[in-house]
Amino acid sequence: MAEKAAPSPLARTVLQQCVGARLQIHRGMVIYVCFFKGATEEILPKMVSALLSLRACESDSGRLVSVLDLPGSILLVPQATLGGKTKGCGMQYHGNIGKEDGLRLYSHLVTLCREGLRDGAAAGSGAGPERDGARVMVQHGTYGNRQVLKLDTNGPHTHLLEF
């Protein structure tokens, strides 16, 4: 009996725990985002829920917690190269979403992450966008442009999620 092939992903993210990242993230996660052809706004709430609630960050006590539990900020980085496939010694990106649709989805993802982080911060302490005296925020790169990222990590905490 032939096994049914898994459906192709519509989006891919890589989460990188950090102790600091430029755009002045003090503590939290860097999330690289790539959308594939066929992705729609329907997947965004699921992505945001998973990205903000996944226990992928190490707390001061060494326990794995979500970025909402730290408190922590996130830096969203559009990363079309996550959609690449090798062909010979080169890379091809035929499965990636078009630039206009990608920009629209990325912009909406940023908005939903801001809302989720704000709501999570408020639920955690009643303090709105600050928890434990630390300001939590969503920073983001620009879609479709080259960017320079400085990132300091505190361990091999890198996770790939597909939606």
Side-chain angles (χ1 to χ4, degrees), residues 25 28-29 31 52 67 72-76 113 117 137-139:
I25 299 293
M29 287 190 302
I31 302 172
L52 298 183
V67 70
S73 297
I74 62 173
L75 171 58
L76 292 165
C113 283
L117 198 60
M137 65 185 89
V138 173
Q139 295 285 347

Side-chain angles (χ1 to χ4, degrees), residues 31-86:
I31 302 172
Y32 304 96
V33 181
C34 177
F35 293 105
F36 298 106
K37 288 179 182 174
T40 65
E41 298 200 5
E42 292 177 11
I43 65 167
L44 297 179
K46 179 180 178 181
M47 288 178 70
V48 170
S49 177
L51 295 171
L52 298 183
S53 64
L54 183 69
R55 292 185 188 128
C57 298
E58 192 172 317
S59 68
D60 290 336
S61 67
R63 198 181 83 195
L64 288 179
V65 297
S66 76
V67 70
L68 293 173
D69 296 324
L70 280 176
S73 297
I74 62 173
L75 171 58
L76 292 165
V77 179
Q79 190 74 14
T81 58
L82 289 176
K85 292 191 182 236
T86 57

